Amino acid sequence: MSPELKKMLKRLASLARPLRPLLEPMSQLECQLTRSWAANAHLRLLWIQWGIPPTPEHFDHHIDLYRGWLDSRNPLWLERGIFGGLALKGGDVLELACGDGFNARNFYSLLSRSVTSCDFDASAIKTANRKNSAPNVTYRLADIRTHMPEGRFDNVVWDAAIEHFTCNEIASIMGNIKSRLKPDGILSGYTLVERPDRVKHLIHHEYEFKSKEDLARFFEPHFQNITVFETIYQVRHNLYFWASDGELPFSANWKHGFSVSREAYSTTPFCEAFQTEARSAFDKP
């Protein structure tokens, strides 16, 4: 914002101050009306896309943003972007099966030098370019089973897609992922646990995982360090993963974190004054 514009807005705010008791209720009403209109518009879009066959291969997450989240109060649709963002190293990212590109734009692009996002679904790539473009994000039409983008990447992200492949396909794709990661690069992603009745969550899913351990076994032939963790909601049991030959989020030497334990202070030679202070803090009720 230019200095001239800032000055003008400051002057305008001064002039409008007596009108604030009138302006704010008017603006609140405007927000309420437009919020309701946007929510209902996205509810109609949800019905058109998922109520009228055929079932799409990707989900438009603006439906979550404007309707689903406010109705359900469920943040699970945001978790994959947040947990995936923790693994980003600030370099070049390859996102596999990117869908509508919501996460590429809103979670990965600001924390990375470049993001190459691919999907085999032409309609998904069209949606991504139309709704979720960013200067450092490139969307590519590609089937990762046969035409995974080439290059060397600091991160590979595989969100909500590994379950769309057979076990043999997952094993083959994993080898191609490893060959594209830099030596300390990180693979991160999200999937879900199969339902107790074994009815698939979506007809497109080829293999839904039985547990954290079941998912981890696909990474073990390729990576030295693996973390799989879960969040459990009434409607879905989620699995998140990080895999690398280098440091993972929340590991002992992760540069973005610091953790201590009471036991550590009794065995590690810290400065005595700091050690005494830390023990005192732990002993407080």
Side-chain angles (χ1 to χ4, degrees):
M1 186 183 297
S2 67
E4 293 79 10
L5 181 57
K6 288 182 179 179
K7 186 176 180 179
M8 183 180 70
L9 290 175
K10 187 175 181 179
R11 174 63 176 164
L12 182 61
S14 178
L15 293 173
R17 184 172 181 177
L19 298 176
R20 176 169 175 167
L22 175 63
L23 293 175
E24 184 168 347
M26 290 174 60
S27 183
Q28 289 283 10
L29 177 60
E30 179 189 17
C31 290
Q32 181 180 349
L33 293 173
T34 55
R35 187 166 57 244
S36 176
W37 180 85
N40 287 309
H42 283 84
L43 179 62
R44 291 188 290 273
L45 178 61
L46 175 67
W47 179 80
I48 292 168
Q49 290 184 338
W50 292 86
I52 303 175
T55 302
E57 285 274 2
H58 75 282
F59 190 80
D60 185 336
H61 286 91
H62 284 86
I63 295 172
D64 280 324
L65 180 64
Y66 290 107
R67 180 76 192 202
W69 191 17
L70 299 178
D71 276 357
S72 69
R73 297 176 289 121
N74 191 330
L76 72 84
W77 70 284
L78 296 167
E79 289 181 347
R80 65 190 73 164
I82 294 169
F83 294 143
L86 289 171
L88 295 179
K89 302 173 75 69
D92 300 313
V93 177
L94 173 62
E95 184 186 19
L96 308 177
C98 65
D100 71 334
F102 188 90
N103 285 353
R105 180 189 188 278
N106 297 300
F107 288 99
Y108 307 144
S109 65
L110 284 179
L111 298 174
S112 305
R113 180 169 51 241
S114 70
V115 181
T116 301
S117 298
C118 65
D119 202 291
F120 86 111
D121 183 359
S123 65
I125 297 298
K126 182 178 179 181
T127 299
N129 279 310
R130 179 165 53 89
K131 290 188 171 183
N132 292 303
S133 63
N136 62 333
V137 177
T138 301
Y139 295 109
R140 294 177 56 180
L141 184 64
D143 187 332
I144 63 173
R145 293 169 293 190
T146 55
H147 294 90
M148 187 182 296
E150 300 286 347
R152 296 285 278 176
F153 299 91
D154 300 279
N155 290 87
V156 174
V157 178
W158 201 3
D159 278 334
I162 189 173
E163 66 276 2
H164 285 254
F165 300 90
T166 66
C167 291
N168 288 337
E169 287 174 335
I170 293 171
S172 175
I173 292 169
M174 204 66 68
N176 288 327
I177 289 173
K178 186 63 184 293
S179 70
R180 285 159 174 77
L181 276 171
K182 294 178 181 179
D184 62 345
I186 300 177
L187 167 66
S188 63
Y190 155 80
T191 186
L192 71 179
V193 174
E194 69 177 1
R195 291 169 36 163
D197 59 9
R198 296 191 175 182
V199 175
K200 290 183 178 179
H201 289 81
L202 288 176
I203 61 172
H204 304 303
H205 291 179
E206 294 287 349
Y207 184 77
E208 295 183 344
F209 299 89
K210 296 172 175 58
S211 64
K212 300 185 292 295
E213 294 77 12
D214 184 31
L215 175 59
R217 69 185 174 93
F218 289 93
F219 309 128
E220 290 172 355
H222 305 280
F223 298 99
Q224 296 181 20
N225 305 312
I226 300 162
T227 297
V228 178
F229 58 100
E230 64 188 2
T231 62
I232 302 175
Y233 294 88
Q234 186 175 4
V235 296
R236 189 179 299 174
H237 185 164
N238 308 292
L239 297 177
Y240 299 90
F241 56 86
W242 300 315
S244 178
D245 290 336
E247 293 295 327
L248 294 177
F250 303 108
S251 62
N253 297 318
W254 187 46
K255 68 178 183 179
H256 298 298
F258 174 75
S259 62
V260 296
S261 69
R262 184 170 183 171
E263 181 181 359
Y265 284 110
S266 65
T267 59
T268 306
F270 288 104
C271 169
E272 184 174 350
F274 175 68
Q275 189 174 15
T276 302
E277 182 182 349
R279 283 177 173 159
S280 176
F282 281 121
D283 288 337
K284 287 180 180 179

